[in-house]
Amino acid sequence: MKRYLTMTSQVKIKQFLTEKKELVESALSNLVPSITAPFEKHLESFHYSLFAGGKRIRPILCLAAGEIISNAPETEKKLLPVACALECIHTYSLIHDDLPAMDNDSLRRGRPTNHVVYGEAEAILAGDGLLTWAFDLLSNQESIVADPARQLRIINIIARAAGTLGMVGGQALDIENENKSYPFELLQTIHKNKTGALITASIVSGAVAAGASSEQEKLLEKFGDRIGLAFQIADDLLDATSTTEKLGKTAGADQMNGKATYPDYFGIEKTREMVENVVSDAKQAIETFGKKADILMELADYIYARSY
Ligand code: GRG
C-alpha cells in the first residue's frame, strides 16, 4: 500500500505535529521538577537537554496511537504523563549516547551536548535523573492513567523496551561491534533494539493506556515495529546525506565512529526503496482501523518523506 504525502496532507501533518509538540512541551514543563534548591545545578542540566527542541516523535506517536483507540477528549490529557515519560527516557538515551565513553559527540539538537556544558559526571546524572523520573511519572498516584492492571502493563512495556532486552541491549551490541564488519542480520538486531524498541513501546503504551483490546494492541505493535525500523533506516540515510546544520547533530557521525549502516550494505538508492517498503508494511498493519488510522498513516509517510 503506497501513498505519498500530497500538499494537503503535508500541511495537515505539519499542523498536527506542531500542535502536539506544543502540547507535549507544556505537559513536560508541568510534569518535571522545576529548577529549584537544593538541586539547581543538576536540574539545570536535566532541563538543558529536555527542553533543547527535540521533535517529540515518541510522545506524539503515543498520543496518536491513543487517539486511534479512543477519541474521547479526556484521553489525550490522560495520556500526557505516559508521553512525557517516553520523552524523558529518549532524552536520557541521547545524553548518554553522546558521552565520551560512547559516541563522544559535541553537538545535539543544535547545541553543545550536555557533557560539554555541564561535565561528564553531571551528564551521567542528568541521564539517570531523566530515566528515573520517567518511572516516577508512570507510577505516581497523581499521573496514573489507567486501572492498576493496565498501568502495570504500561510500566512493564516501557521498562522492557528501554532496558537490557531493548534499547540498552541494542546500544551495547552497537558499541561492541564498532569498527567490525558483521552480517546484515546483526545490524537489524541492533536497530530493532537500539531505536525500534522505544518507538514500538511508545505506540503500544499509548494504545494500552487508551483501552486497546489485545487484538488492537497486536496490530499497533506490528505498525510500531515497522515504523521503528523505518525511522532508524531514515536516520542512517540522513547521517550519510544531510548536513550538520540541518540535522542539529554531527552529520557523518556513523562513519566516523565505525558504525555500520543500511547504506553501507545496500547503497543510498536501494536503502530509500527499503524505507518505502517498510513504511508500506507498517501502513498495511493498521488498514483495518479505517479512517481512524489516517493520522498514523500520515506519520508513517512523514518518516519516509524525512529520509530525503
Ligand atoms: C545510551 C542506553 C543508551 C542508548 C542510546 C537513542 C540511542 C540509544 C542512540 C542514539 C543514536 C542514534 C542517532 C540513533 C538513531 C535514531 C535516533 C534515536 C535518533 C534521534 O532521535 P530523534 O531524531 O531526535 O527523535 P530528537 O532530537 O528529535 O528527539
Side-chain angles (χ1 to χ4, degrees):
M1 180 205 190
K2 290 191 181 165
R3 196 172 71 158
Y4 299 100
L5 284 175
T6 60
M7 279 307 272
T8 327
S9 53
Q10 266 186 51
V11 172
K12 214 170 112 196
I13 195 69
K14 283 219 168 110
Q15 203 180 329
F16 177 85
L17 289 169
T18 309
E19 263 171 37
K20 299 297 174 203
K21 191 172 169 209
E22 277 167 18
L23 192 72
V24 171
E25 298 296 335
S26 119
L28 279 170
S29 304
N30 293 328
L31 291 172
V32 302
S34 49
I35 307 178
T36 46
F39 306 120
E40 295 99 319
K41 171 117 192 298
H42 168 63
L43 283 162
E44 215 183 275
S45 131
F46 179 115
H47 278 238
Y48 175 81
S49 293
L50 188 60
F51 296 104
K55 294 183 288 300
R56 314 306 195 193
I57 288 290
R58 292 151 193 81
I60 292 173
L61 284 168
C62 171
L63 297 177
E67 244 175 61
I68 237 189
I69 303 300
S70 156
N71 60 4
E74 63 277 12
T75 304
E76 180 172 83
K77 200 163 159 257
K78 218 172 66 166
L79 255 59
L80 282 168
V82 180
C84 290
L86 290 158
E87 187 63 24
C88 287
I89 296 173
H90 169 60
T91 305
Y92 123 74
S93 80
L94 298 180
I95 298 174
H96 283 195
D97 186 60
D98 290 332
L99 285 168
M102 298 215 195
D103 274 3
N104 192 20
D105 219 319
S106 56
L107 191 70
R108 170 71 66 183
R109 292 176 164 172
R111 349 151 81 176
T113 42
N114 193 298
H115 67 271
V116 168
V117 180
Y118 295 98
E120 260 184 76
E122 180 41 52
I124 293 170
L125 291 169
D128 293 342
L130 281 156
L131 172 61
T132 315
W133 191 256
F135 289 96
D136 190 313
L137 267 179
L138 292 169
S139 58
N140 178 336
Q141 277 302 335
E142 281 166 38
S143 50
I144 281 201
V145 300
D147 62 77
R150 228 168 238 277
Q151 189 73 28
L152 261 183
R153 259 191 55 60
I154 296 167
I155 297 172
N156 188 247
I157 287 164
I158 296 177
R160 186 58 65 91
T164 291
L165 301 183
M167 183 175 73
V168 170
Q171 177 79 348
L173 271 182
D174 193 20
I175 287 174
E176 271 165 44
N177 289 287
E178 270 172 13
N179 296 311
K180 289 187 189 157
S181 57
Y182 50 78
F184 171 62
E185 288 68 30
L186 180 58
L187 180 70
Q188 279 183 305
T189 306
I190 291 173
H191 280 6
K192 192 173 161 56
N193 289 286
K194 187 178 91 166
T195 313
L198 193 64
I199 291 184
T200 307
S202 303
I203 292 162
V204 178
S205 62
V208 171
S213 66
S214 55
E215 192 51 42
Q216 290 172 319
E217 198 186 311
K218 271 194 207 108
L219 295 173
L220 286 163
E221 188 176 359
K222 168 101 195 284
F223 173 81
D225 178 71
R226 299 289 82 196
I227 281 307
L229 178 60
F231 190 84
Q232 174 67 63
I233 312 179
D235 200 80
D236 280 4
L237 274 168
L238 288 171
D239 186 76
T241 59
S242 193
T243 62
T244 298
E245 207 181 21
K246 275 199 204 149
L247 293 177
K249 60 179 181 174
T250 315
D254 290 333
Q255 205 187 6
M256 263 182 319
N257 289 323
K259 305 232 173 174
T261 64
Y262 267 66
D264 294 334
Y265 287 86
F266 302 106
I268 302 286
E269 281 323 304
K270 178 95 178 84
T271 302
R272 286 222 158 97
E273 261 174 49
M274 292 171 95
V275 184
E276 191 179 357
N277 290 334
V278 173
V279 163
S280 177
D281 288 349
K283 293 196 301 189
Q284 221 164 22
I286 54 170
E287 260 176 353
T288 51
F289 286 98
K291 286 285 297 164
K292 283 191 194 156
D294 273 3
I295 280 293
L296 280 185
M297 297 251 186
E298 280 173 25
L299 281 170
D301 282 329
Y302 163 79
I303 288 173
Y304 172 65
R306 205 184 141 247
S307 69
Y308 277 89

